[in-house]
Amino acid sequence: MENKAEEVACHTSGRKSHHPERVKKDLTTRLNRIEGQIRGIKGMIEKDIYCDDVITQISATQSALNSVARILLEGHLKGCVVDRLSEGDNEVLDELVVTIQKLMKK
């Protein structure tokens, strides 16, 4: 994986992120694939596919979502957090702790 997240930069006023088009395209492609995986899992359940096979697909989908989260978190750290710290906004560290706690609940 290239270091795509390095190019992700967040904008703090209005709490928006500004992703380069290449990163947005990559994330959108990944999320579209995940959406397809979810539809596939639903179809497997409707067709009474063996539980272990469904669980395997769920695990793959969770891994794909974690990959998206890693890209976003890395970009957030290298963009938003660094920028806000350089502006003297230490509150971003508390926000970051909460964000990491959310990711670790999984």
Side-chain angles (χ1 to χ4, degrees), residues 49-92:
I49 301 297
Y50 187 61
C51 297
D52 189 55
D53 295 335
V54 177
I55 291 167
T56 298
Q57 290 304 311
I58 290 170
S59 177
T61 303
Q62 287 172 328
S63 178
L65 276 171
N66 287 339
S67 179
V68 169
R70 277 191 301 273
I71 291 168
L72 289 169
L73 181 60
E74 184 179 345
H76 183 59
L77 285 168
K78 292 180 177 180
C80 305
V81 174
V82 169
D83 290 347
R84 288 178 62 187
L85 285 173
S86 69
E87 294 168 359
D89 182 0
N90 291 333
E91 184 178 310
V92 70

Side-chain angles (χ1 to χ4, degrees), residues 11-106:
H11 185 274
T12 56
S13 70
R15 296 179 60 100
K16 290 187 177 185
S17 292
H18 297 284
H19 306 286
E21 285 304 313
R22 185 172 64 83
V23 174
K24 283 200 298 192
K25 184 176 180 184
D26 176 61
L27 291 172
T28 300
T29 299
R30 288 171 184 265
L31 290 169
N32 286 338
R33 196 174 309 128
I34 292 166
E35 186 177 24
Q37 288 176 294
I38 296 292
R39 282 194 304 272
I41 292 167
K42 181 180 173 190
M44 292 173 79
I45 290 171
E46 290 169 349
K47 294 175 186 169
D48 294 321
I49 301 297
Y50 187 61
C51 297
D52 189 55
D53 295 335
V54 177
I55 291 167
T56 298
Q57 290 304 311
I58 290 170
S59 177
T61 303
Q62 287 172 328
S63 178
L65 276 171
N66 287 339
S67 179
V68 169
R70 277 191 301 273
I71 291 168
L72 289 169
L73 181 60
E74 184 179 345
H76 183 59
L77 285 168
K78 292 180 177 180
C80 305
V81 174
V82 169
D83 290 347
R84 288 178 62 187
L85 285 173
S86 69
E87 294 168 359
D89 182 0
N90 291 333
E91 184 178 310
V92 70
L93 295 176
D94 293 330
E95 292 174 10
L96 181 60
V97 169
V98 171
T99 298
I100 292 171
Q101 287 172 341
K102 288 176 187 176
L103 285 173
M104 292 179 73
K105 282 184 183 180
K106 299 172 182 171

